[in-house]
mmCIF file of all heavy atoms in Angstrom:
data_model
loop_
_atom_site.group_PDB
_atom_site.id
_atom_site.type_symbol
_atom_site.label_atom_id
_atom_site.label_comp_id
_atom_site.label_asym_id
_atom_site.label_seq_id
_atom_site.Cartn_x
_atom_site.Cartn_y
_atom_site.Cartn_z
ATOM 1 N N PRO A 421 28.873 28.258 26.143
ATOM 2 C CA PRO A 421 28.166 29.346 25.458
ATOM 3 C C PRO A 421 28.721 29.658 24.074
ATOM 4 O O PRO A 421 28.024 30.232 23.237
ATOM 5 C CB PRO A 421 28.335 30.531 26.407
ATOM 6 C CG PRO A 421 29.573 30.213 27.188
ATOM 7 C CD PRO A 421 29.580 28.728 27.344
ATOM 8 N N ARG A 422 29.963 29.327 23.820
ATOM 9 C CA ARG A 422 30.584 29.636 22.526
ATOM 10 C C ARG A 422 31.074 28.336 21.889
ATOM 11 O O ARG A 422 32.271 28.070 21.787
ATOM 12 C CB ARG A 422 31.739 30.607 22.693
ATOM 13 C CG ARG A 422 31.320 31.941 23.289
ATOM 14 C CD ARG A 422 32.493 32.862 23.485
ATOM 15 N NE ARG A 422 32.085 34.120 24.086
ATOM 16 C CZ ARG A 422 32.911 35.103 24.411
ATOM 17 N NH1 ARG A 422 34.217 34.962 24.191
ATOM 18 N NH2 ARG A 422 32.452 36.217 24.974
ATOM 19 N N THR A 423 30.098 27.547 21.482
ATOM 20 C CA THR A 423 30.426 26.233 20.925
ATOM 21 C C THR A 423 30.161 26.199 19.437
ATOM 22 O O THR A 423 29.742 27.186 18.825
ATOM 23 C CB THR A 423 29.595 25.141 21.606
ATOM 24 O OG1 THR A 423 28.214 25.469 21.482
ATOM 25 C CG2 THR A 423 29.944 25.050 23.077
ATOM 26 N N GLY A 424 30.365 25.020 18.863
ATOM 27 C CA GLY A 424 30.191 24.829 17.432
ATOM 28 C C GLY A 424 28.736 24.775 17.016
ATOM 29 O O GLY A 424 27.833 25.187 17.749
ATOM 30 N N THR A 425 28.510 24.232 15.830
ATOM 31 C CA THR A 425 27.188 24.276 15.203
ATOM 32 C C THR A 425 26.326 23.055 15.500
ATOM 33 O O THR A 425 25.138 23.060 15.178
ATOM 34 C CB THR A 425 27.341 24.391 13.677
ATOM 35 O OG1 THR A 425 28.084 23.267 13.204
ATOM 36 C CG2 THR A 425 28.054 25.677 13.303
ATOM 37 N N HIS A 426 26.875 22.042 16.112
ATOM 38 C CA HIS A 426 26.116 20.812 16.311
ATOM 39 C C HIS A 426 25.236 20.887 17.544
ATOM 40 O O HIS A 426 25.566 21.532 18.540
ATOM 41 C CB HIS A 426 27.067 19.607 16.384
ATOM 42 C CG HIS A 426 27.696 19.289 15.070
ATOM 43 N ND1 HIS A 426 28.908 19.811 14.678
ATOM 44 C CD2 HIS A 426 27.268 18.519 14.039
ATOM 45 C CE1 HIS A 426 29.207 19.378 13.460
ATOM 46 N NE2 HIS A 426 28.231 18.583 13.048
ATOM 47 N N LEU A 427 24.102 20.193 17.469
ATOM 48 C CA LEU A 427 23.121 20.242 18.548
ATOM 49 C C LEU A 427 23.584 19.464 19.770
ATOM 50 O O LEU A 427 23.436 19.920 20.905
ATOM 51 C CB LEU A 427 21.773 19.696 18.043
ATOM 52 C CG LEU A 427 20.637 19.616 19.055
ATOM 53 C CD1 LEU A 427 20.274 20.999 19.592
ATOM 54 C CD2 LEU A 427 19.402 18.965 18.410
ATOM 55 N N LEU A 428 24.120 18.284 19.547
ATOM 56 C CA LEU A 428 24.531 17.411 20.648
ATOM 57 C C LEU A 428 26.058 17.441 20.767
ATOM 58 O O LEU A 428 26.755 16.950 19.885
ATOM 59 C CB LEU A 428 24.037 15.983 20.405
ATOM 60 C CG LEU A 428 22.521 15.831 20.297
ATOM 61 C CD1 LEU A 428 22.155 14.427 19.826
ATOM 62 C CD2 LEU A 428 21.856 16.130 21.638
ATOM 63 N N VAL A 429 26.522 18.044 21.836
ATOM 64 C CA VAL A 429 27.967 18.168 22.035
ATOM 65 C C VAL A 429 28.328 17.736 23.450
ATOM 66 O O VAL A 429 27.470 17.635 24.329
ATOM 67 C CB VAL A 429 28.444 19.619 21.796
ATOM 68 C CG1 VAL A 429 28.257 20.022 20.346
ATOM 69 C CG2 VAL A 429 27.695 20.586 22.732
ATOM 70 N N SER A 430 29.605 17.497 23.648
ATOM 71 C CA SER A 430 30.141 17.157 24.969
ATOM 72 C C SER A 430 31.321 18.074 25.258
ATOM 73 O O SER A 430 31.674 18.945 24.442
ATOM 74 C CB SER A 430 30.583 15.697 24.998
ATOM 75 O OG SER A 430 31.708 15.521 24.146
ATOM 76 N N ARG A 431 31.962 17.863 26.375
ATOM 77 C CA ARG A 431 33.124 18.683 26.727
ATOM 78 C C ARG A 431 34.204 18.584 25.666
ATOM 79 O O ARG A 431 34.879 19.555 25.347
ATOM 80 C CB ARG A 431 33.672 18.227 28.078
ATOM 81 C CG ARG A 431 34.910 18.999 28.549
ATOM 82 C CD ARG A 431 35.329 18.528 29.913
ATOM 83 N NE ARG A 431 35.586 17.095 29.931
ATOM 84 C CZ ARG A 431 36.744 16.540 29.534
ATOM 85 N NH1 ARG A 431 37.732 17.307 29.075
ATOM 86 N NH2 ARG A 431 36.917 15.239 29.584
ATOM 87 N N VAL A 432 34.345 17.394 25.097
ATOM 88 C CA VAL A 432 35.383 17.194 24.083
ATOM 89 C C VAL A 432 34.956 17.758 22.734
ATOM 90 O O VAL A 432 35.686 18.517 22.087
ATOM 91 C CB VAL A 432 35.717 15.696 23.951
ATOM 92 C CG1 VAL A 432 36.711 15.466 22.816
ATOM 93 C CG2 VAL A 432 36.264 15.167 25.264
#
Side-chain angles (χ1 to χ4, degrees):
R422 299 178 181 178
T423 55
T425 59
H426 290 92
L427 178 62
L428 300 171
V429 294
S430 68
R431 179 177 57 82
V432 175

